[in-house]
Amino acid sequence: DVEDEETTGEVSKNPNLSTLYMRQVVSKAIDISLAKELKNLLFGSSLCCFPEEWKIQSFTFNNIPQLKYGIVQKKGGPCGVLAAVQACVLQQLIFADSNRNKDTRCLQPSEVHRTKCLAMAIADILWRAGGSDKAIVALPSGRQQFTPVGKYKADGILETLILHSATRYEDLIVFLQQNIHQFEIGPCGCILLTVSVILSRSINLVRNDFDVLTNRLIGSHGYCTQELVNLLLTGKAVSNVFNNVIELDSGNGNITILKGITSRSDIGLLSLFEHYDVCQVGCYLKTPKYPLWLVCSESHFSVLFCLEKDLVDDWKTERRFDLYYYDGLANQEEEIRLTVDTTQMCTEDKENDLTPPLEHCIRTKWQGAVIDWNGTEPIL
């Protein structure tokens, strides 16, 4: 399909027009060799399958009035994917228009609006992984596209996939809006997004992102590895959370290269591992472009966010501010709003087990801040 270049220019300025043109989404069925490569990348073996908690997980929203923005997690495991998508949905809900100061009304979207924000969030994740010039959306067809043979264990999902490629952002948006129910209602939306983001980046590039070629994206107990979380947040499946690249002399003239985050991320990360001096989160993740952070605490991921964009741009806002906390797994029933005061110093006892892990995570960025749970029972 060759389009007149001028027409293409006009279309991209006005995405609503793109439905009038023939959308250039190219579709092809998955084959066994690609399915094997995907399984090796995900699990380290083509004989492994997605755990049950992944198979039943989609991006279904919460129906509690105060938490309508929240995605519900059914069981432990894919929390890294869910938290990353949750943060991207919040980016759309809170910061999509340029109006800087928000009130909590943006956290009570209509069902239509939150579904639209989910489609935009997934589009951004895939487009970023595709280097901003392509994306692949994997959708189930309901029937096998190849016969599983040899060293390949069927799981009823990968074998049915059709891969839809878009090379224009507008086409991707339209295609996702038309198929968003596959991700929102599912049943396996979480798997579809994971496969889509890998293929958008490409299996070779994902493997080259790793520090160690044999790394995988889903670790023990079905948990997301840091590589998968980084792929969703930054478009690259690097293994570390520090800035840039570290070269280590491993003796005999050998250099070990450890890859980190190469530019300021839209969405950040705070980690309990940093509180325990196991890792160091670089400023590209600690001070993201939007005041939205994944919180990594005891192998679980959840989300912290602020309604004030200035929090990451203007130090004066950091004197005293509110952070909202959302955990899709913890049967949260009410809004959790923490007030962080950096003008006072809290004397923190590193050995004290009664300090909520969430406070430890927050203080990796705002050292010694006093944190008020505003009447909510602190989460231990």
Side-chain angles (χ1 to χ4, degrees), residues 293-362:
W293 291 268
L294 265 59
V295 175
C296 173
S297 174
E298 281 140 1
S299 76
H300 182 57
F301 288 92
S302 47
V303 180
L304 265 176
F305 60 98
C306 177
L307 300 182
E308 294 178 71
K309 174 82 166 65
D310 286 348
L311 184 64
V312 288
D313 298 326
D314 180 359
W315 63 270
K316 292 191 284 295
T317 314
E318 292 188 284
R319 289 172 180 162
R320 185 182 166 89
F321 55 92
D322 284 347
L323 290 177
Y324 293 83
Y325 178 68
Y326 181 74
D327 182 355
L329 185 62
N331 297 327
Q332 190 175 325
E333 288 180 1
E334 56 181 352
E335 181 178 270
I336 297 176
R337 180 177 60 84
L338 309 174
T339 301
V340 180
D341 188 340
T342 59
T343 63
Q344 304 180 57
M345 278 298 280
C346 134
T347 48
E348 191 180 18
D349 175 6
K350 270 210 172 187
E351 303 309 312
N352 179 3
D353 288 335
L354 293 175
T355 304
L358 183 59
E359 291 190 22
H360 287 319
C361 292
I362 291 170

Side-chain angles (χ1 to χ4, degrees), residues 274-289:
E274 178 163 20
H275 165 74
Y276 291 118
D277 294 327
V278 177
C279 75
Q280 188 173 9
V281 181
C283 63
Y284 289 155
L285 282 176
K286 207 177 269 184
T287 307
K289 292 179 188 172

Side-chain angles (χ1 to χ4, degrees), residues 31-322:
D31 58 42
I32 190 164
S33 65
L34 184 57
K36 275 184 179 172
E37 284 187 75
L38 275 166
K39 286 203 172 198
N40 279 319
L41 196 63
L42 285 159
F43 310 110
S45 163
S46 56
L47 294 172
C48 291
C49 290
F50 284 100
E52 194 55 32
E53 52 267 30
W54 282 74
K55 287 185 171 183
I56 59 169
Q57 184 67 58
S58 286
F59 303 104
T60 311
F61 284 101
N62 207 316
N63 287 322
I64 295 169
Q66 280 188 302
L67 303 174
K68 287 189 77 174
Y69 62 85
I71 293 167
V72 179
Q73 183 176 353
K74 295 180 179 176
K75 289 184 175 177
C79 56
V81 177
L82 288 155
V85 172
Q86 178 70 73
C88 293
V89 167
L90 286 163
Q91 181 187 338
Q92 293 294 331
L93 275 176
I94 306 168
F95 303 111
D97 54 24
S98 56
N99 181 2
R100 285 185 88 76
N101 287 332
K102 296 293 191 255
D103 59 34
T104 52
R105 279 176 302 187
C106 64
L107 299 180
Q108 297 179 336
S110 66
E111 290 182 17
V112 170
H113 185 53
R114 68 186 183 182
T115 297
K116 183 188 170 197
C117 288
L118 176 63
M120 299 294 286
I122 291 174
D124 280 354
I125 288 170
L126 300 183
W127 196 244
R128 183 164 49 224
S132 298
D133 60 17
K134 70 172 192 316
I136 291 178
V137 183
L139 295 179
S141 63
R143 56 200 176 105
Q144 276 195 355
Q145 300 299 324
F146 62 83
T147 308
V149 289
K151 282 196 166 182
Y152 179 85
K153 191 173 179 190
D155 58 25
I157 298 169
L158 282 189
E159 308 83 60
T160 73
L161 295 182
I162 304 284
L163 313 176
H164 308 272
S165 309
T167 52
R168 291 193 321 182
Y169 183 70
E170 294 80 9
D171 295 342
L172 176 64
I173 294 281
V174 173
F175 185 79
L176 280 168
Q177 285 171 342
Q178 289 172 344
N179 292 283
I180 193 62
H181 60 282
Q182 300 267 23
F183 293 93
E184 187 175 353
I185 298 148
C188 53
C190 195
I191 293 175
L192 296 178
L193 177 73
T194 303
V195 171
S196 299
V197 76
I198 293 167
L199 295 178
S200 295
R201 174 83 177 131
S202 90
I203 285 180
N204 282 346
L205 288 180
V206 168
R207 210 174 272 296
N208 286 337
D209 289 335
F210 293 168
D211 282 350
V212 179
L213 287 174
T214 51
N215 281 6
R216 15 184 249 203
L217 295 174
I218 297 179
S220 48
H221 313 296
Y223 292 145
C224 305
T225 62
Q226 189 64 51
E227 285 87 347
L228 178 52
V229 173
N230 285 347
L231 176 61
L232 292 159
L233 290 188
T234 70
K236 293 178 182 171
V238 293
S239 301
N240 304 287
V241 292
F242 49 68
N243 287 4
N244 300 317
V245 169
I246 290 179
E247 293 188 2
L248 294 180
D249 183 352
S250 42
N252 302 332
N254 293 325
I255 300 281
T256 301
I257 292 179
L258 305 178
K259 297 170 197 150
I261 308 299
T262 53
S263 61
R264 192 179 178 193
S265 177
D266 279 0
I267 287 156
L269 175 92
L270 302 174
S271 176
L272 189 62
F273 290 122
E274 178 163 20
H275 165 74
Y276 291 118
D277 294 327
V278 177
C279 75
Q280 188 173 9
V281 181
C283 63
Y284 289 155
L285 282 176
K286 207 177 269 184
T287 307
K289 292 179 188 172
Y290 296 92
L292 304 150
W293 291 268
L294 265 59
V295 175
C296 173
S297 174
E298 281 140 1
S299 76
H300 182 57
F301 288 92
S302 47
V303 180
L304 265 176
F305 60 98
C306 177
L307 300 182
E308 294 178 71
K309 174 82 166 65
D310 286 348
L311 184 64
V312 288
D313 298 326
D314 180 359
W315 63 270
K316 292 191 284 295
T317 314
E318 292 188 284
R319 289 172 180 162
R320 185 182 166 89
F321 55 92
D322 284 347

